[in-house]
Amino acid sequence: IAGITQAPTSQILAAGRRMTLRCTQDMRHNAMYWYRQDLGLGLRLIHYSNTAGTTGKGEVPDGYSVSRANTDDFPLTLASAVPSQTSVYFCASSEAGENNEQFFGPGTRLTVL
Amino acid sequence: GQSLEQPSEVTAVEGAIVQINCTYQTSGFYGLSWYQQHDGGAPTFLSYNALDGLEETGRFSSFLSRSDSYGYLLLQELQMKDSASYFCAGYNQGGKLIFGQGTELSVKP
């Protein structure tokens, strides 16, 4: 693994179903993030984790949950998917530093019907 | 609240110079970053301005004026491969990025 991986690449999901999007990084970054990207709205932060064992809410956390059991993994769960959660989801990570660069995964395209 | 505004699209010709502006309204804000995204792929980091002034990285430069709540990304010697979406993003005191809606740059031959 080099960088950040996300799975699945894409998914079509029936409304009401539970879904977990996976994110794994091998850069030993402390901070990890989940964003959603919708057309015309840019990227919006869903949840974040500053370090393993801690999580926090971003701009649009409702309907999503996260966990951070270790440094490398940061799964995002939709407990009961709704059509408004149709979006492209990006996971990112960063290490504290002067330039605050975030490294993004390739994204998961999720469609909720 | 925090918000960043940038033009939705810009068109320029190959070899030209283009400037993408970003204005922001936020409290407790520090630092402005720029990210590039090709065809909906993973956004990639371009630059970060923690202080007022110009930061130059090759053909790309970024500027920040905190007193004016304004920044821009300057792309010189445009190439076709520069066609992409460009996002400004502000760092708040919690270390979280707030993104603008993105500017789609089209480079024409």
CSV table of all heavy atoms in Angstrom, one decimal, chain A residues 33 35 37 40 42-43 45 48 50 59 90 98-102 104-106, chain B residues 30 33 35 37 40-43 45 48 87 91 95-101:
chain,number,residue,atom,x,y,z
A,33,TYR,N,-9.6,12.2,7.9
A,33,TYR,CA,-10.8,12.9,7.7
A,33,TYR,C,-11.7,12.2,6.7
A,33,TYR,O,-11.2,11.5,5.8
A,33,TYR,CB,-10.5,14.3,7.1
A,33,TYR,CG,-9.3,15.0,7.7
A,33,TYR,CD1,-8.0,14.8,7.4
A,33,TYR,CD2,-9.6,16.0,8.7
A,33,TYR,CE1,-7.0,15.4,8.0
A,33,TYR,CE2,-8.6,16.7,9.3
A,33,TYR,CZ,-7.2,16.4,9.0
A,33,TYR,OH,-6.2,17.1,9.6
A,35,TYR,N,-14.7,13.3,3.9
A,35,TYR,CA,-15.4,14.4,3.2
A,35,TYR,C,-16.4,13.8,2.2
A,35,TYR,O,-16.2,12.7,1.7
A,35,TYR,CB,-14.4,15.3,2.3
A,35,TYR,CG,-13.4,16.0,3.1
A,35,TYR,CD1,-12.1,15.5,3.4
A,35,TYR,CD2,-13.6,17.4,3.5
A,35,TYR,CE1,-11.2,16.2,4.1
A,35,TYR,CE2,-12.7,18.1,4.2
A,35,TYR,CZ,-11.4,17.5,4.5
A,35,TYR,OH,-10.5,18.2,5.1
A,37,GLN,N,-18.3,15.0,-1.5
A,37,GLN,CA,-18.2,16.0,-2.5
A,37,GLN,C,-19.5,15.9,-3.4
A,37,GLN,O,-19.7,14.8,-4.0
A,37,GLN,CB,-17.0,15.8,-3.4
A,37,GLN,CG,-16.8,16.9,-4.4
A,37,GLN,CD,-15.5,16.9,-5.2
A,37,GLN,OE1,-15.0,15.8,-5.4
A,37,GLN,NE2,-15.0,18.0,-5.6
A,40,GLY,N,-21.1,21.2,-7.3
A,40,GLY,CA,-21.4,22.6,-7.0
A,40,GLY,C,-21.2,23.0,-5.5
A,40,GLY,O,-21.4,24.1,-5.1
A,42,GLY,N,-18.4,21.6,-3.6
A,42,GLY,CA,-17.1,21.4,-3.1
A,42,GLY,C,-17.0,20.2,-2.1
A,42,GLY,O,-17.9,19.4,-2.1
A,43,LEU,N,-16.0,20.2,-1.3
A,43,LEU,CA,-15.8,19.1,-0.3
A,43,LEU,C,-16.3,19.6,1.1
A,43,LEU,O,-15.9,20.7,1.5
A,43,LEU,CB,-14.4,18.7,-0.2
A,43,LEU,CG,-13.8,18.0,-1.5
A,43,LEU,CD1,-12.9,19.0,-2.3
A,43,LEU,CD2,-13.0,16.8,-1.1
A,45,LEU,N,-16.6,18.5,5.2
A,45,LEU,CA,-16.1,17.6,6.2
A,45,LEU,C,-17.2,16.9,6.9
A,45,LEU,O,-18.1,17.6,7.5
A,45,LEU,CB,-15.2,18.4,7.2
A,45,LEU,CG,-14.5,17.6,8.2
A,45,LEU,CD1,-13.5,16.6,7.6
A,45,LEU,CD2,-13.8,18.5,9.2
A,48,TYR,N,-13.9,13.7,11.6
A,48,TYR,CA,-12.4,13.7,11.6
A,48,TYR,C,-11.9,13.0,12.8
A,48,TYR,O,-12.7,12.7,13.8
A,48,TYR,CB,-11.9,15.1,11.5
A,48,TYR,CG,-12.2,15.9,12.7
A,48,TYR,CD1,-11.3,16.0,13.8
A,48,TYR,CD2,-13.3,16.7,12.8
A,48,TYR,CE1,-11.6,16.7,14.9
A,48,TYR,CE2,-13.6,17.4,13.9
A,48,TYR,CZ,-12.8,17.5,15.0
A,48,TYR,OH,-13.1,18.2,16.1
A,50,ASN,N,-8.3,13.3,15.1
A,50,ASN,CA,-7.0,13.9,15.3
A,50,ASN,C,-5.9,12.8,15.7
A,50,ASN,O,-4.7,13.1,15.4
A,50,ASN,CB,-7.0,15.0,16.4
A,50,ASN,CG,-7.7,16.2,15.9
A,50,ASN,OD1,-7.7,16.5,14.7
A,50,ASN,ND2,-8.3,16.9,16.8
A,59,GLU,N,-18.7,19.4,9.4
A,59,GLU,CA,-19.8,20.3,9.0
A,59,GLU,C,-21.1,19.5,8.8
A,59,GLU,O,-22.2,20.1,9.1
A,59,GLU,CB,-19.4,20.9,7.6
A,59,GLU,CG,-18.2,21.8,7.6
A,59,GLU,CD,-17.9,22.2,6.1
A,59,GLU,OE1,-18.6,23.1,5.6
A,59,GLU,OE2,-17.0,21.6,5.5
A,90,PHE,N,-14.6,11.1,0.0
A,90,PHE,CA,-13.1,11.1,0.0
A,90,PHE,C,-12.6,11.0,1.5
A,90,PHE,O,-13.0,11.7,2.4
A,90,PHE,CB,-12.5,12.3,-0.6
A,90,PHE,CG,-12.7,12.4,-2.1
A,90,PHE,CD1,-13.7,13.1,-2.7
A,90,PHE,CD2,-11.8,11.7,-2.9
A,90,PHE,CE1,-13.8,13.2,-4.0
A,90,PHE,CE2,-11.9,11.8,-4.3
A,90,PHE,CZ,-12.9,12.5,-4.8
A,98,GLU,N,3.8,22.5,9.1
A,98,GLU,CA,3.6,23.9,8.8
A,98,GLU,C,2.7,24.1,7.6
A,98,GLU,O,2.0,25.0,7.5
A,98,GLU,CB,5.0,24.5,8.5
A,98,GLU,CG,5.8,24.7,9.8
A,98,GLU,CD,7.1,25.5,9.6
A,98,GLU,OE1,7.3,25.9,8.4
A,98,GLU,OE2,7.8,25.7,10.5
A,99,ASN,N,2.8,23.1,6.6
A,99,ASN,CA,2.0,23.3,5.4
A,99,ASN,C,0.6,22.7,5.5
A,99,ASN,O,-0.2,22.8,4.6
A,99,ASN,CB,2.8,22.9,4.2
A,99,ASN,CG,3.0,21.4,4.1
A,99,ASN,OD1,2.5,20.7,5.0
A,99,ASN,ND2,3.8,21.0,3.2
A,100,ASN,N,0.4,21.9,6.5
A,100,ASN,CA,-0.9,21.3,6.7
A,100,ASN,C,-1.5,20.6,5.5
A,100,ASN,O,-2.7,20.6,5.3
A,100,ASN,CB,-1.9,22.4,7.1
A,100,ASN,CG,-1.6,23.0,8.5
A,100,ASN,OD1,-1.6,22.4,9.5
A,100,ASN,ND2,-1.2,24.3,8.4
A,101,GLU,N,-0.6,19.9,4.7
A,101,GLU,CA,-1.0,19.2,3.6
A,101,GLU,C,-1.9,18.0,3.9
A,101,GLU,O,-1.5,17.2,4.8
A,101,GLU,CB,0.2,18.8,2.8
A,101,GLU,CG,-0.2,17.9,1.5
A,101,GLU,CD,1.1,17.5,0.7
A,101,GLU,OE1,2.2,17.9,1.1
A,101,GLU,OE2,0.9,16.8,-0.3
A,102,GLN,N,-3.0,17.9,3.2
A,102,GLN,CA,-3.8,16.6,3.4
A,102,GLN,C,-3.7,15.8,2.2
A,102,GLN,O,-3.6,16.3,1.0
A,102,GLN,CB,-5.3,17.0,3.6
A,102,GLN,CG,-5.6,17.6,5.0
A,102,GLN,CD,-7.0,17.8,5.3
A,102,GLN,OE1,-7.9,17.2,4.6
A,102,GLN,NE2,-7.3,18.5,6.4
A,104,PHE,N,-5.3,12.8,0.0
A,104,PHE,CA,-6.6,12.2,-0.3
A,104,PHE,C,-6.5,10.8,-0.9
A,104,PHE,O,-5.7,10.5,-1.7
A,104,PHE,CB,-7.4,13.1,-1.2
A,104,PHE,CG,-7.9,14.4,-0.5
A,104,PHE,CD1,-7.1,15.5,-0.3
A,104,PHE,CD2,-9.2,14.4,-0.1
A,104,PHE,CE1,-7.6,16.6,0.4
A,104,PHE,CE2,-9.7,15.6,0.6
A,104,PHE,CZ,-8.9,16.6,0.8
A,105,GLY,N,-7.5,10.0,-0.6
A,105,GLY,CA,-7.7,8.7,-1.3
A,105,GLY,C,-8.4,8.9,-2.6
A,105,GLY,O,-8.9,10.1,-2.9
A,106,PRO,N,-8.6,7.9,-3.3
A,106,PRO,CA,-9.2,8.0,-4.7
A,106,PRO,C,-10.7,8.2,-4.7
A,106,PRO,O,-11.3,8.5,-5.7
A,106,PRO,CB,-8.9,6.6,-5.3
A,106,PRO,CG,-8.7,5.7,-4.2
A,106,PRO,CD,-8.2,6.5,-3.0
B,30,TYR,N,-7.1,30.8,10.0
B,30,TYR,CA,-5.7,31.0,9.7
B,30,TYR,C,-5.3,30.1,8.5
B,30,TYR,O,-5.7,29.0,8.4
B,30,TYR,CB,-4.9,30.8,10.9
B,30,TYR,CG,-4.7,29.3,11.3
B,30,TYR,CD1,-3.6,28.6,10.8
B,30,TYR,CD2,-5.6,28.7,12.1
B,30,TYR,CE1,-3.4,27.3,11.2
B,30,TYR,CE2,-5.4,27.4,12.4
B,30,TYR,CZ,-4.3,26.7,12.0
B,30,TYR,OH,-4.2,25.4,12.3
B,33,SER,N,-5.1,27.2,1.8
B,33,SER,CA,-4.5,26.2,1.0
B,33,SER,C,-5.2,26.2,-0.4
B,33,SER,O,-6.3,26.6,-0.6
B,33,SER,CB,-4.7,24.8,1.6
B,33,SER,OG,-3.9,24.7,2.7
B,35,TYR,N,-5.9,23.3,-3.6
B,35,TYR,CA,-5.9,21.9,-4.1
B,35,TYR,C,-6.4,21.8,-5.5
B,35,TYR,O,-7.2,22.6,-6.0
B,35,TYR,CB,-6.8,21.0,-3.2
B,35,TYR,CG,-6.2,20.7,-1.9
B,35,TYR,CD1,-6.3,21.7,-0.8
B,35,TYR,CD2,-5.6,19.5,-1.6
B,35,TYR,CE1,-5.7,21.4,0.4
B,35,TYR,CE2,-5.1,19.2,-0.4
B,35,TYR,CZ,-5.1,20.1,0.6
B,35,TYR,OH,-4.6,19.8,1.9
B,37,GLN,N,-7.9,19.2,-8.6
B,37,GLN,CA,-8.6,17.9,-8.7
B,37,GLN,C,-8.9,17.7,-10.2
B,37,GLN,O,-9.5,18.5,-10.9
B,37,GLN,CB,-9.9,17.9,-8.0
B,37,GLN,CG,-10.7,16.6,-8.0
B,37,GLN,CD,-12.0,16.6,-7.3
B,37,GLN,OE1,-12.7,17.6,-7.3
B,37,GLN,NE2,-12.3,15.5,-6.6
B,40,GLY,N,-12.7,14.6,-11.1
B,40,GLY,CA,-13.3,14.0,-10.0
B,40,GLY,C,-12.4,13.0,-9.2
B,40,GLY,O,-12.9,12.3,-8.3
B,41,GLY,N,-11.1,13.0,-9.5
B,41,GLY,CA,-10.2,12.1,-8.8
B,41,GLY,C,-9.8,12.7,-7.5
B,41,GLY,O,-10.4,13.7,-7.0
B,42,ALA,N,-8.7,12.1,-6.9
B,42,ALA,CA,-8.3,12.6,-5.6
B,42,ALA,C,-7.7,14.0,-5.6
B,42,ALA,O,-6.9,14.3,-6.5
B,42,ALA,CB,-7.2,11.6,-5.0
B,43,PRO,N,-8.2,14.9,-4.8
B,43,PRO,CA,-7.6,16.2,-4.8
B,43,PRO,C,-6.2,16.1,-4.3
B,43,PRO,O,-5.8,15.3,-3.5
B,43,PRO,CB,-8.5,17.0,-3.7
B,43,PRO,CG,-9.8,16.2,-3.6
B,43,PRO,CD,-9.4,14.8,-3.9
B,45,PHE,N,-2.7,18.5,-3.1
B,45,PHE,CA,-2.2,19.7,-2.5
B,45,PHE,C,-1.3,20.5,-3.5
B,45,PHE,O,-0.4,19.9,-4.1
B,45,PHE,CB,-1.5,19.4,-1.2
B,45,PHE,CG,-0.8,20.5,-0.6
B,45,PHE,CD1,-1.5,21.3,0.3
B,45,PHE,CD2,0.5,20.8,-0.7
B,45,PHE,CE1,-0.9,22.4,1.0
B,45,PHE,CE2,1.2,21.8,-0.1
B,45,PHE,CZ,0.4,22.6,0.7
B,48,TYR,N,0.2,26.3,0.4
B,48,TYR,CA,-0.4,26.7,1.6
B,48,TYR,C,0.3,28.0,2.0
B,48,TYR,O,1.5,28.2,2.0
B,48,TYR,CB,-0.1,25.7,2.7
B,48,TYR,CG,-0.5,26.1,4.1
B,48,TYR,CD1,-1.9,26.5,4.4
B,48,TYR,CD2,0.4,26.2,5.1
B,48,TYR,CE1,-2.2,26.9,5.7
B,48,TYR,CE2,0.0,26.7,6.4
B,48,TYR,CZ,-1.3,27.0,6.7
B,48,TYR,OH,-1.7,27.4,7.9
B,87,PHE,N,-9.5,24.3,-5.9
B,87,PHE,CA,-10.2,24.6,-4.7
B,87,PHE,C,-9.3,25.4,-3.7
B,87,PHE,O,-8.2,25.0,-3.4
B,87,PHE,CB,-10.7,23.3,-3.9
B,87,PHE,CG,-11.7,22.5,-4.7
B,87,PHE,CD1,-11.3,21.5,-5.6
B,87,PHE,CD2,-13.0,22.7,-4.5
B,87,PHE,CE1,-12.2,20.8,-6.3
B,87,PHE,CE2,-14.0,21.9,-5.2
B,87,PHE,CZ,-13.5,21.0,-6.1
B,91,TYR,N,-8.0,27.1,6.6
B,91,TYR,CA,-7.8,26.3,7.9
B,91,TYR,C,-8.3,27.1,9.1
B,91,TYR,O,-7.9,28.3,9.3
B,91,TYR,CB,-6.3,26.1,8.1
B,91,TYR,CG,-5.9,24.7,7.8
B,91,TYR,CD1,-5.3,24.3,6.6
B,91,TYR,CD2,-6.1,23.7,8.8
B,91,TYR,CE1,-5.0,23.0,6.4
B,91,TYR,CE2,-5.8,22.4,8.5
B,91,TYR,CZ,-5.2,22.0,7.3
B,91,TYR,OH,-4.9,20.8,7.1
B,95,GLY,N,-7.9,23.3,13.1
B,95,GLY,CA,-7.1,22.5,12.1
B,95,GLY,C,-7.9,21.9,11.1
B,95,GLY,O,-7.4,20.9,10.4
B,96,LYS,N,-9.1,22.3,10.9
B,96,LYS,CA,-10.0,21.7,9.9
B,96,LYS,C,-10.1,22.6,8.6
B,96,LYS,O,-10.2,23.8,8.7
B,96,LYS,CB,-11.4,21.5,10.5
B,96,LYS,CG,-11.4,20.7,11.8
B,96,LYS,CD,-10.7,19.3,11.6
B,96,LYS,CE,-10.4,18.6,12.9
B,96,LYS,NZ,-9.3,19.2,13.6
B,97,LEU,N,-10.1,21.9,7.5
B,97,LEU,CA,-10.2,22.6,6.2
B,97,LEU,C,-11.7,22.9,5.8
B,97,LEU,O,-12.5,22.0,5.9
B,97,LEU,CB,-9.6,21.8,5.1
B,97,LEU,CG,-8.0,21.9,4.9
B,97,LEU,CD1,-7.6,21.0,3.8
B,97,LEU,CD2,-7.6,23.4,4.6
B,98,ILE,N,-11.9,24.1,5.5
B,98,ILE,CA,-13.2,24.5,4.9
B,98,ILE,C,-13.0,24.8,3.4
B,98,ILE,O,-12.2,25.7,3.1
B,98,ILE,CB,-13.9,25.7,5.6
B,98,ILE,CG1,-13.9,25.5,7.1
B,98,ILE,CG2,-15.2,26.0,5.0
B,98,ILE,CD1,-14.8,24.3,7.6
B,99,PHE,N,-13.6,24.1,2.5
B,99,PHE,CA,-13.3,24.3,1.1
B,99,PHE,C,-14.3,25.2,0.4
B,99,PHE,O,-15.5,25.3,0.8
B,99,PHE,CB,-13.5,22.9,0.4
B,99,PHE,CG,-12.3,22.0,0.6
B,99,PHE,CD1,-12.2,21.2,1.7
B,99,PHE,CD2,-11.3,21.9,-0.4
B,99,PHE,CE1,-11.1,20.4,1.9
B,99,PHE,CE2,-10.2,21.1,-0.2
B,99,PHE,CZ,-10.1,20.3,1.0
B,100,GLY,N,-13.8,25.9,-0.6
B,100,GLY,CA,-14.6,26.7,-1.5
B,100,GLY,C,-15.3,25.7,-2.4
B,100,GLY,O,-15.0,24.5,-2.4
B,101,GLN,N,-16.2,26.2,-3.3
B,101,GLN,CA,-16.9,25.4,-4.2
B,101,GLN,C,-16.1,24.9,-5.4
B,101,GLN,O,-16.6,24.1,-6.1
B,101,GLN,CB,-18.2,26.1,-4.6
B,101,GLN,CG,-19.1,26.3,-3.4
B,101,GLN,CD,-20.4,27.0,-3.8
B,101,GLN,OE1,-20.6,27.3,-4.9
B,101,GLN,NE2,-21.3,27.2,-2.8
